[in-house]
Amino acid sequence: YIGRYDYYNKGLDRLITLFSSNIGCDISLLTYGPKDSYGSDAYRFTNESKSIKNIIVENAIFGVEKNKIIADADYLILPSRSEGFPTVVLESLSLSTPCIVSKECNIPIDFNNNGVHIIDFEDTKLVANFFRDICNNPGQKYDDSSFAVELFNKNLSSIVLIPTYEKFFSDFWTSSN
């Protein structure tokens, strides 16, 4: 997990529930986020995770260090209850690291089975079974980062966004005068 330690909205309570239950396999969760933000939420997550041996709480990381952590991970997990379009998913896919995201992350369905596993984190039995399957089939990296790169270049690059914004603001100012 890489993100803010916002206990409820980022779904950190879901991770506590998952990792404190007996899912029948030995997996670890490394989390990275700004410990000094979200005061009581960061403190609560840090304290609750201390009693769970397989959760490691670290401070925020950026740039090359962040890319290395993502590239070395087996999966990136994002159990949020609400997201727009989390760019960490694109970053992860471009580094060939598959993602496990909640259905509330609003990831387009095209991503499902293209390096992203969209699951219902409210269904704790389903989530536990999913992680058990991961344990039984270790080391399955996502081989094709071209999907994320193509999607980014087609929809999100500055070559696409800048003309779109320029047209929007031009139309907006024209219609408001």
Side-chain angles (χ1 to χ4, degrees), residues 102-168:
S102 65
K103 62 181 183 163
E104 297 94 347
C105 282
N106 294 307
I107 300 295
I109 198 68
D110 295 350
F111 279 80
N112 206 21
N113 299 321
N114 278 309
V116 177
H117 304 280
I118 303 171
I119 62 175
D120 181 1
F121 273 86
E122 293 298 316
D123 185 342
T124 54
K125 188 173 183 178
L126 173 83
V127 174
N129 286 336
F130 182 83
F131 277 88
R132 229 176 270 114
D133 287 345
I134 288 173
C135 289
N136 293 331
N137 301 296
Q140 292 185 350
K141 288 291 269 185
Y142 174 64
D143 296 343
D144 185 12
S145 62
S146 64
F147 177 79
V149 172
E150 180 183 332
L151 181 81
F152 180 83
N153 288 336
K154 185 177 174 185
N155 299 298
L156 302 170
S157 72
S158 60
I159 294 169
V160 173
L161 289 179
I162 291 173
T164 303
Y165 285 126
E166 286 175 346
K167 180 171 179 0
F168 170 79

Side-chain angles (χ1 to χ4, degrees), residues 21-83:
S21 68
N22 182 8
I23 58 174
C25 64
D26 188 29
I27 57 176
S28 294
L29 173 70
L30 287 98
T31 65
Y32 296 89
K35 290 182 183 180
D36 55 350
S37 69
Y38 289 85
S40 62
D41 278 0
Y43 180 78
R44 180 178 180 188
F45 180 68
T46 302
N47 277 344
E48 286 185 20
S49 61
K50 282 180 185 174
S51 64
I52 304 168
K53 72 174 181 121
N54 291 4
I55 296 181
I56 300 160
V57 180
E58 297 288 347
N59 215 342
I61 52 173
F62 303 96
V64 173
E65 185 182 13
K66 177 182 171 185
N67 289 343
K68 180 170 178 10
I69 293 294
I70 292 172
D72 290 346
D74 292 322
Y75 289 89
L76 178 102
I77 187 167
L78 196 60
S80 300
R81 286 190 170 80
S82 177
E83 290 284 348

